[in-house]
């Protein structure tokens, strides 16, 4: 789609699974990427530094993982081993860094040991503390839970094997794929998540333990549902990002020309926020030199 408008980060091969990042060049600039193998020695964790186009001091990091599959205590312990390594890395980002941990977490409940580690309050190192935008962490089962069916991400097919590859099958009944952001994505200011946009693409909440192609078709376009069915045994997760406000001033510099002593003269200056929506609100005040007056505000745009 839209050929010529996309670029990719260096593609990382294995072990066990590969990692890639694709981004629209009119929206983002890739500042760098790297990866490491956590102590579990199963799969790489990749990190990508991205900067929105049109900004100089705004950037964020995406961490991509694929934790150990399985629902045994041993599987959970291996996920925790990697979570400790990842959280340690995220705790040492520069202060104020915005980061999102994303990927296939392979967790079956909201208090899996790995999720507890990611969301743990560590007073001396909270730069890497993460939260769930859907507020589903804690002692709640995610598998086969009709109450969160809208947020399940795996598997869009009930068939364990299809010509396009091997799949887990079983229908849509697990929430494995997540965006877990750092807390500074949740203050309503500057770079932020738009919570209402967090969604599993193609999941209408009516297909628990069903294929996405079964009635009722979700999404309504059958071709779209079948594309999800063929593509993977996971479904995409999406969210919108709010950009920081920008400021644009038109009408200056102010020059009054000749003015009769004792008379008043005025000039209009237009202040606007040209940041691409969704963007933070621009808040500003005006200050004038001695002998001049301006409406002080505060104003919002």
């Amino acid at each position: 789609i839209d050929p010529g408008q996309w670029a990719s980060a260096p593609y990382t091969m294995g072990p066990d699974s590969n990692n890639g990042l694709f981004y629209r060049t009119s929206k983002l600039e890739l500042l760098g990427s790297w990866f490491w193998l956590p102590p579990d020695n199963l799969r790489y964790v990749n990190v990508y530094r991205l900067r929105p186009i049109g900004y100089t001091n705004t950037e964020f990091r995406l961490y991509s993982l694929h934790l150990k599959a399985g629902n045994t205590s041993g599987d959970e312990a291996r996920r925790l081993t990697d979570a400790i390594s990842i959280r340690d890395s995220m705790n040492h980002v520069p202060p104020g860094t915005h980061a999102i941990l994303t990927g296939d977490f392979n967790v079956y409940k909201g208090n899996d040991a790995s999720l507890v580690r990611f969301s743990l309050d560590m007073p001396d190192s909270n730069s890497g503390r993460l939260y769930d935008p859907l507020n589903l962490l804690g002692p709640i089962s995610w598998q086969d839970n009709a109450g969160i069916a809208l947020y399940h991400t795996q598997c869009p097919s009930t068939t364990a094997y299809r010509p396009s590859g091997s799949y887990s099958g079983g229908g849509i009944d697990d929430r494995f794929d997540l965006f877990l952001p750092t807390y500074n994505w949740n203050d309503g200011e500057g770079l932020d998540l738009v919570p209402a946009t967090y969604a599993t693409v193609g999941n209408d909440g009516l297909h628990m333990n069903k294929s996405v192609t079964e009635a009722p078709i979700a999404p309504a376009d059958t071709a779209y549902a079948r594309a999800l069915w063929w593509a993977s045994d996971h479904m995409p997760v999406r969210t919108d990002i709010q950009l920081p406000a920008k400021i644009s001033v038109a009408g200056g510099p102010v020059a009054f020309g000749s003015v009769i002593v004792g008379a008043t003269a005025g000039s209009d200056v237009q202040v606007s926020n040209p940041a691409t929506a969704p963007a933070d609100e621009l808040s500003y005040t005006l200050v004038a030199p001695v002998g001049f007056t301006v409406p002080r505000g505060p104003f919002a745009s």
Side-chain angles (χ1 to χ4, degrees):
I1 189 172
D2 299 333
Q5 297 185 31
W6 299 86
S8 62
Y11 191 69
T12 305
M13 299 291 289
D16 188 73
S17 60
N18 306 330
N19 247 330
L21 172 77
F22 300 88
Y23 59 97
R24 195 185 291 267
T25 54
S26 63
K27 300 291 186 181
L28 293 168
E29 175 188 4
L30 180 67
L31 300 179
S33 64
W34 61 94
F35 59 90
W36 81 93
L37 187 63
D40 183 44
N41 293 316
L42 183 61
R43 303 176 180 109
Y44 288 137
V45 176
N46 284 65
V47 188
Y48 307 95
R49 284 181 58 209
L50 295 160
R51 179 165 60 201
I53 297 297
Y55 293 83
T56 56
N57 297 316
T58 298
E59 68 173 76
F60 60 94
R61 300 187 183 193
L62 290 179
Y63 286 69
S64 178
L65 56 69
H66 186 178
L67 297 182
K68 176 69 175 66
N71 201 15
T72 69
S73 58
D75 297 325
E76 186 172 358
R78 292 181 68 179
R79 289 193 289 270
L80 174 60
T81 296
D82 284 0
I84 292 171
S85 172
I86 296 167
R87 178 67 194 270
D88 182 64
S89 172
M90 300 186 79
N91 285 344
H92 289 87
V93 300
T97 298
H98 286 70
I100 299 175
L101 181 63
T102 183
D104 179 4
F105 288 69
N106 272 316
V107 290
Y108 291 85
K109 55 189 178 181
N111 61 351
D112 186 274
S114 62
L115 297 180
V116 173
R117 184 71 181 187
F118 291 136
S119 61
L120 189 65
D121 184 11
M122 299 178 182
D124 296 330
S125 55
N126 267 338
S127 293
R129 188 184 181 195
L130 308 174
Y131 73 96
D132 180 6
L134 299 182
N135 197 30
L136 294 176
L137 299 185
I140 173 177
S141 174
W142 289 359
Q143 186 180 46
D144 289 324
N145 185 342
I148 65 165
L150 188 62
Y151 308 119
H152 287 150
T153 67
Q154 204 245 16
C155 172
S157 172
T158 56
T159 307
Y161 176 80
R162 286 171 285 156
S164 55
S166 298
Y167 296 86
S168 62
I172 308 172
D173 60 357
D174 291 299
R175 188 192 181 206
F176 284 166
D177 309 277
L178 313 173
F179 287 138
L180 296 185
T182 49
Y183 269 73
N184 49 5
W185 286 96
N186 193 32
D187 58 10
E189 299 294 330
L191 203 59
D192 220 51
L193 289 189
V194 183
T197 65
Y198 189 114
T200 302
V201 177
N203 185 353
D204 61 359
L206 303 177
H207 285 72
M208 195 174 81
N209 292 315
K210 295 181 179 180
S211 165
V212 70
T213 56
E214 294 182 44
I217 298 296
D221 181 353
T222 303
Y224 197 120
R226 288 193 61 81
L228 290 169
W229 187 91
W230 275 102
S232 172
D233 62 350
H234 294 256
M235 302 175 75
V237 180
R238 71 169 311 279
T239 188
D240 286 353
I241 291 176
Q242 170 186 285
L243 293 173
K246 291 184 175 181
I247 187 167
S248 175
V249 180
V254 174
F256 294 113
S258 299
V259 179
I260 297 174
V261 175
T264 59
S267 180
D268 290 333
V269 174
Q270 293 81 41
V271 179
S272 63
N273 179 9
T276 302
D280 192 12
E281 182 180 70
L282 173 66
S283 301
Y284 63 96
T285 59
L286 302 175
V287 178
V290 176
F292 296 84
T293 59
V294 292
R296 293 186 176 276
F299 302 101
S301 174

